[in-house]
Amino acid sequence: TCALPIYRARYWRAALIGAAIAGVLFLAMLLTSGSNVRGTSWTGEFYAAQAKAFLHGRWWIPQSTLGIEGFKHDGRWFMYYGPFPSLLRIPVVLVMPGLGAQMTQASMALAWIVAVVASIDISWRIRRIVRPDAALRTAECWIVGTAVLVVGAGSVLMFLASQAWIYHEAELWGCALAIASFDLIVAYLV
């Protein structure tokens, strides 16, 4: 147990090497779908409009913004996507209102980081449960780095990077928050 901090540092170093390689591949895929930093797709305004609605103390969004991608209730239009990406846009909409619709790729990259870091953290927690006093060998470091590379660049996360639009952004955040939730559940149980 006295070597535990050294093992943890080596484990994270191996995992972060795998994450760095996966991150390059993920960003390459994300940017091949076209940068939305200078422009935006017609769906890019959805989360920005919802963030602006939140700032005005309401949930509904103008139907002209949603088109067919919303539902009507009591004469008002609502978006059927979860609000989390909209909440992330609130600070940006406050400071630079026009930039909120151009945050899809940045949001997707942040979701990927959350998913990968949570994956690394949960795997470390599980290792501590299964092999609490076992030495961290070089072969295990290679396996950890490879596993993180597969999670970051060989899973559904990579497919979701293929299109920078809110449909994939919502799914990417769903994956990231699910993995982070499981990580926190394991942390609580431990």
Side-chain angles (χ1 to χ4, degrees):
T1 56
C2 62
L4 185 62
I6 294 169
Y7 292 157
R8 182 182 172 112
R10 285 186 62 212
Y11 190 93
W12 273 85
R13 187 177 326 115
L16 290 176
I17 290 169
I21 296 167
V24 168
L25 297 172
F26 179 85
L27 286 176
M29 177 66 81
L30 187 61
L31 294 175
T32 60
S33 65
S35 174
N36 69 351
V37 175
R38 293 188 192 145
T40 182
S41 69
W42 70 277
T43 62
E45 185 62 32
F46 291 2
Y47 285 132
Q50 191 173 52
K52 291 172 189 172
F54 289 162
L55 289 172
H56 290 99
R58 58 181 166 78
W59 279 86
W60 61 273
I61 301 170
Q63 195 269 336
S64 60
T65 302
L66 292 174
I68 63 170
E69 296 293 340
F71 64 92
K72 187 177 181 181
H73 177 72
D74 286 339
R76 295 189 173 146
W77 287 85
F78 298 87
M79 187 165 77
Y80 52 78
Y81 298 103
F84 189 76
S86 299
L87 296 173
L88 293 176
R89 283 171 169 77
I90 288 175
V92 174
V93 168
L94 279 171
V95 177
M96 294 179 279
L99 192 60
Q102 299 170 347
M103 290 184 52
T104 303
Q105 286 174 314
S107 176
M108 291 173 74
L110 181 61
W112 181 87
I113 291 168
V114 169
V116 170
V117 169
S119 297
I120 296 168
D121 199 47
I122 196 171
S123 66
W124 172 251
R125 290 182 201 284
I126 291 170
R127 184 197 190 277
R128 290 284 300 132
I129 293 168
V130 176
R131 305 180 66 200
D133 296 324
L136 182 67
R137 306 223 185 273
T138 302
E140 186 178 355
C141 288
W142 278 95
I143 292 169
V144 167
T146 303
V148 172
L149 174 63
V150 169
V151 167
S155 68
V156 71
L157 302 178
M158 185 62 113
F159 167 75
L160 293 172
S162 67
Q163 289 289 327
W165 55 359
I166 67 159
Y167 309 110
H168 286 198
E169 179 184 2
E171 296 297 327
L172 199 52
W173 273 111
C175 292
L177 294 176
I179 296 168
S181 296
F182 284 120
D183 180 34
L184 294 175
I185 289 169
V186 171
Y188 175 77
L189 292 175
V190 169

